[in-house]
Amino acid sequence: MCFSVLLTLLGVLVDGCARLPASDPGKAELLRQIREAYLFDVDVTSLELLSVPEIVARLDPDTHLVEVRRRMSPDFIRGFEPEGSIAAMRALGGGRGYLRLAFFGRRTLEDLRKALSDFFPPLCALAIDLRDNGGGNFEQALRLAELFLPLGAPLTLYEDRQGRALLYSTGTAAPRQERLMLLINARTASSAELFAGVLRWHHRAELVGASTTGKRTVQQVVRLDQAYLLFLTTGRFLAPDGSPFGVHGLIPDRAYEGDNVASLMAPCADTTPPGP
Amino acid sequence: MLRRVLTLGILLALVSISLGSARLYAQTKTIADYDPKTLAIVVNRDSSDLAIIDPATDTVIKRVPLGEYSNGHMAMLNHDGKTILISATGRDRFLVVDLVTGKVEHTVVVGKAPEHFDVTPDGRLAFVGNIEESTVSMIDVHDGREVQRITGFFEPHGFSALPDGSKVYVSSLGGHEVAVLDAKSGRMLKRLAIGDVGRVAARDPQRYLSEVKGIVNPTLTKDGAFAYAADGDAGVVAIIDTKTDKIVKTLKIGEQPWRAYNSPDGHWMLIPNNGDSTVSVIDTTSQKTVAQLNAGSDMTGINYALDGSKAYVISRGDSTVYVFNMKTFGLVTRLKIGTNLALETAATTADGTKIYLASSTNDSVYVIDARTDQVKQITDVGRYPWGVSILASASPNYCH
């Protein structure tokens, strides 16, 4: 019995020694990032003997390791694949348009601008479908919100290790005037909640559908080693007044399930688009 | 009358003799008779060979086989004009080929998937990026051997050796870094982090965001004093002082920038931004962005012509070349090369009057006359031409 306990202890020691950090640059980088950028306080010395996946498992649930995709087909031109964040668009008649935004990517703002310019005649009411939109690029969500808000409008209170900072709209063009309806559901998350939350906070959009996920943290992407990217929680976003954008996610102004979007928006002939 | 007939006969005979000798001369003309610095070298990926084009006649004067499945990615003449250096991606080899004989002088085993490289000004050492194993092979070109394999990169993609041969700058496409190597020892002197990668707020980052669009190339200014490194994810270009190896300035440019292209007079850096289909114009003296030009989609390169007075922006997505006046930054014309082509990269001739552009999917090279903007097609240059290089090019356009 004693011998077996001794063996177990020895095994733990050997196992621990085998996972010493010195020879693992990915682990060294992970610990450095936790010390310098991680949103929450954590005792880094207690993590030093753990493996990279074990360390990540002890952090908040939004911190992830993501395996880097291989993209080495000889026929592939790196970086040129279309993102396709706008998954669908159609005119609904009566000056109304519909766009489904699948996620927030690097090109989403540009894609949205192009899509809106493709509607003719120009729209006076727009439904943006954020259902199943799991978020994505944080900055893009803010830039998209700016499209519909005047210069200088507060967007979000951003909190990180350095403290809190209020971020404002810096858009230079006049804000778009379309009446906005945003479709949301339980899988609308993160950047999508930020986008919807900011526009609702400014009474610029009506939210229709079901309550959202309620993920309000922001991750910084760090190349950890040859195999993995680290998505480390480094910040969180709040409404400009410091309140959360919904305690457990955004609650819709109108509950709705279905796909008859046209029935949710009045045609524009009877409606005056809201001012900025 | 008889005298006239005789005279005409003698004249015809003389003309015929002279034509015959010209034909004979053409038949016996070898690569050694050409100025190697002017030749356009096309690397054909799928036929695993090179096509050598004489810009005087726009004809393929030689095909150089590189070995089955070698799938060359980049080819360039060494600085002495005697050997062609090729990364044979398909076979994980680096080849040194004699230009005149077409014989492979050295076959160097390197790391997995060698693609881009640069050579020190003395032509002695090549630094080759093995992109699939994230290493760099340092190769002694004369001896034909790998001196060492250097680690510490994330998909090393672009290489620039300083004009004084002291250092080599290596950009990581799979990271946001530029590494500085000592060209003599191969020792890594520094790793410079570029830009601040995007923040994300996503429920499932695995789904959309596990790719990194880092730095395609560190482009040196003409005097080698600065290197411009554009980062795809960050949407910035960092300006690195090559004396101190410090970032002296970071400029916000367009979305998803590709890489910087230096004008022949060294005054401009043009950077295509594939995220918003624009081209950023940076004044290298003030180190400021002075203009943002609207161009095409999926831009693969920029070539200057006519002493840098015109810039040719290659849009793969539009099968079009956008031509800009570099004094006014106005659009001169759009050259619609074809439909659904895959335009790759190009090289400008030494006198700056013509541009040779590889078009992979139709096995062609297009020749653009910069004075008239007329386009001519050279067909059947080989299968899947991927890039063109000219040693004395007025505006080289690194492979991609």
Side-chain angles (χ1 to χ4, degrees), chain B residues 155-213:
Chain B
E155 297 159 21
H157 190 269
F159 292 77
S160 289
L162 282 186
D164 67 5
S166 61
K167 291 186 281 191
V168 177
Y169 291 78
V170 185
S171 67
S172 279
L173 187 60
H176 306 280
E177 288 185 2
V178 171
V180 188
L181 303 180
D182 181 278
K184 285 194 176 61
S185 66
R187 191 165 61 89
M188 192 179 288
L189 301 172
K190 206 160 189 180
R191 285 167 62 173
L192 296 160
I194 308 293
D196 181 19
V197 290
R199 286 176 291 183
V200 296
R203 181 170 45 99
D204 179 10
Q206 177 81 59
R207 196 169 161 200
Y208 314 110
L209 298 161
S210 67
E211 288 184 5
V212 177
K213 293 180 176 72

Side-chain angles (χ1 to χ4, degrees), chain A residues 156-235:
Chain A
T156 183
L157 191 67
Y158 185 73
E159 182 183 7
D160 63 13
R161 220 172 162 81
Q162 274 72 50
R164 287 181 165 196
L166 191 54
L167 307 181
Y168 295 92
S169 168
T170 55
T172 50
R176 299 190 66 93
Q177 300 295 304
E178 292 93 347
R179 177 161 46 93
L180 281 180
M181 180 180 76
L182 307 180
L183 293 160
I184 55 174
N185 68 5
R187 288 180 295 280
T188 302
S190 293
S191 288
E193 291 178 286
L194 172 66
F195 174 68
V198 171
L199 291 179
R200 184 163 64 181
W201 196 83
H202 284 280
H203 306 289
R204 184 62 186 84
E206 181 190 24
L207 306 191
V208 177
S211 295
T212 61
T213 304
K215 177 184 176 295
R216 295 184 292 270
T217 57
V218 177
Q219 284 70 41
Q220 187 80 22
V221 190
V222 179
R223 182 90 195 226
L224 208 56
D225 56 21
Q226 300 296 343
Y228 289 101
L229 291 174
L230 170 69
F231 284 69
L232 182 73
T233 299
T234 55

Side-chain angles (χ1 to χ4, degrees), chain A residues 69 71-72 74-75 77-81 106-107 134 136 138-139 158 190-191 219-221 223 226, chain B residues 45 115 132 134 153 155 173-174 196-197 199-201 203 206-207 210-212 233 255-256 274 386:
Chain A
R69 270 184 213 148
R71 43 173 191 170
M72 297 305 176
D75 290 330
I77 304 289
R78 292 180 182 81
F80 281 179
E81 78 286 10
R106 298 178 191 88
R107 305 173 73 143
F138 177 73
E139 267 75 19
Y158 185 73
S190 293
S191 288
Q219 284 70 41
Q220 187 80 22
V221 190
R223 182 90 195 226
Q226 300 296 343
Chain B
R45 257 179 25 184
E115 287 190 354
E132 288 194 22
S134 289
F153 310 90
E155 297 159 21
L173 187 60
D196 181 19
V197 290
R199 286 176 291 183
V200 296
R203 181 170 45 99
Q206 177 81 59
R207 196 169 161 200
S210 67
E211 288 184 5
V212 177
D233 281 336
E255 293 291 323
Q256 221 173 298
N274 281 314
W386 189 243

Side-chain angles (χ1 to χ4, degrees), chain B residues 356-397:
Chain B
Y356 289 77
L357 168 60
S359 172
S360 58
T361 48
N362 64 346
D363 301 338
S364 295
V365 165
Y366 289 92
V367 187
I368 302 169
D369 185 326
R371 287 166 298 200
T372 61
D373 287 329
Q374 295 294 305
V375 182
K376 181 163 78 177
Q377 184 181 7
I378 305 174
T379 56
D380 301 321
V381 296
R383 277 187 287 122
Y384 223 79
W386 189 243
V388 185
S389 69
I390 296 174
L391 183 58
S393 178
S395 175
N397 173 354

Side-chain angles (χ1 to χ4, degrees), chain A residues 1-12:
Chain A
M1 177 68 179
C2 283
F3 183 66
S4 101
V5 169
L6 193 65
L7 268 183
T8 310
L9 277 173
L10 194 64
V12 169

Side-chain angles (χ1 to χ4, degrees), chain B residues 69-224:
Chain B
Y69 307 119
S70 55
N71 305 116
H73 191 98
M74 179 178 170
M76 63 178 269
L77 265 175
N78 203 347
H79 300 302
D80 61 6
K82 290 179 180 163
T83 53
I84 311 172
L85 310 175
I86 305 121
S87 55
T89 311
R91 288 200 174 273
D92 301 336
R93 301 287 189 274
F94 185 76
L95 308 177
V96 182
V97 173
D98 184 279
L99 172 67
V100 174
T101 65
K103 283 175 72 176
V104 178
E105 280 186 355
H106 299 294
T107 300
V108 186
V109 177
V110 294
K112 206 162 185 306
E115 287 190 354
H116 300 123
F117 58 90
D118 200 4
V119 191
T120 50
D122 62 2
R124 182 80 199 221
L125 294 169
F127 290 81
V128 188
N130 305 309
I131 199 155
E132 288 194 22
E133 66 170 39
S134 289
T135 60
V136 170
S137 292
M138 180 179 174
I139 292 166
D140 186 318
V141 174
H142 292 186
D143 296 348
R145 67 185 175 91
E146 185 182 42
V147 180
Q148 61 173 303
R149 202 172 293 179
I150 310 159
T151 58
F153 310 90
F154 299 113
E155 297 159 21
H157 190 269
F159 292 77
S160 289
L162 282 186
D164 67 5
S166 61
K167 291 186 281 191
V168 177
Y169 291 78
V170 185
S171 67
S172 279
L173 187 60
H176 306 280
E177 288 185 2
V178 171
V180 188
L181 303 180
D182 181 278
K184 285 194 176 61
S185 66
R187 191 165 61 89
M188 192 179 288
L189 301 172
K190 206 160 189 180
R191 285 167 62 173
L192 296 160
I194 308 293
D196 181 19
V197 290
R199 286 176 291 183
V200 296
R203 181 170 45 99
D204 179 10
Q206 177 81 59
R207 196 169 161 200
Y208 314 110
L209 298 161
S210 67
E211 288 184 5
V212 177
K213 293 180 176 72
I215 301 158
V216 173
N217 194 60
T219 305
L220 296 174
T221 50
K222 285 286 166 188
D223 57 4

